[in-house]
Amino acid sequence: MRKNNSIVAATLIGLTFTLVACGNGETDDTSETAEKHDTHDEASDEHAGHEMDLSSSGEIPEGLEEAEDSLFPVGTTAYIEDGHMPEMNGVEVVITGAFDTTVYTVSYDPTDGGQRVEDHEWVVHEEFVEVGEEPLEIGEEASMDASHMTGMEGAVAEIDSAQSTTVYMVDFTTTDGEEVQNHKWVVEEELTAVE
């Protein structure tokens, strides 16, 4: 019995030294990667557990009208100063589409049974099913025909915010090197002109 106690005590002492050594300010790539991953997760909680394809086919929802006089015309470049996802912040984009519409942030329960998504940015009016032309109001619910994320198409969304503005479809390279084409959507307030 004493021998077993000695083994347990020696094991605990060894673990204590190991933990102290790991906590002495030295880091390795694994802990730095984990820390960056945690920070990224905090910044994009709304997408936790959901696959999001930043690229799209470029197909435009029926009824969405091209902007006649947009601040950023198709073919021009701009910077995303304050993107709705961390990997978009500070990147240069090429405008591939500009449209005048009402754009929303929404919360919904995905059709694939995933975790509820809160304040998803952005869904345009024309991506809702049978809602008419009048803008939806905060608190209203409507089914989505958008497929920006898994489990989004067919889900019932609750409107969190709404604004009439110009929205853009854009091409860019994320901060971690992913090539993105025809991303839907970026609002005008997220963009700044290239000097």
Side-chain angles (χ1 to χ4, degrees), residues 140-161:
E140 278 193 80
E141 293 186 342
S143 293
M144 295 182 289
D145 192 27
S147 55
H148 313 165
M149 297 172 60
T150 57
M152 186 179 216
E153 192 170 2
V156 174
E158 180 180 348
I159 304 302
D160 297 317
S161 73

Side-chain angles (χ1 to χ4, degrees), residues 65-72 95 97-103 124 163-169 185-191:
E65 295 183 11
E66 288 187 18
E68 291 182 19
D69 187 29
S70 62
L71 185 60
F72 302 99
I95 307 299
F99 308 91
D100 288 331
T101 187
T102 301
V103 67
V124 297
Q163 63 175 314
S164 293
T165 188
T166 302
V167 297
Y168 297 91
M169 189 164 60
W185 305 100
V186 176
V187 297
E188 200 156 88
E189 291 78 11
E190 292 177 305
L191 299 172

Side-chain angles (χ1 to χ4, degrees), residues 53-60 72-80 83-84 87-89 91-99 122 166-174 178-188 190-192:
D53 187 359
L54 296 178
S55 293
S56 80
S57 66
E59 187 177 335
I60 304 305
F72 302 99
V74 172
T76 61
T77 57
Y79 287 112
I80 299 180
H84 53 271
E87 57 267 51
M88 298 170 75
N89 288 335
V91 303
E92 186 173 296
V93 301
V94 176
I95 307 299
T96 58
F99 308 91
W122 303 97
T166 302
V167 297
Y168 297 91
M169 189 164 60
V170 296
D171 290 350
F172 62 96
T173 301
T174 65
E178 179 186 351
E179 296 285 338
V180 176
Q181 293 188 324
N182 299 315
H183 175 73
K184 300 174 186 173
W185 305 100
V186 176
V187 297
E188 200 156 88
E190 292 177 305
L191 299 172
T192 59

Side-chain angles (χ1 to χ4, degrees), residues 127-139:
E127 291 176 309
F128 289 101
V129 180
E130 298 176 1
V131 293
E133 293 183 14
E134 289 298 309
L136 299 168
E137 295 187 10
I138 294 171

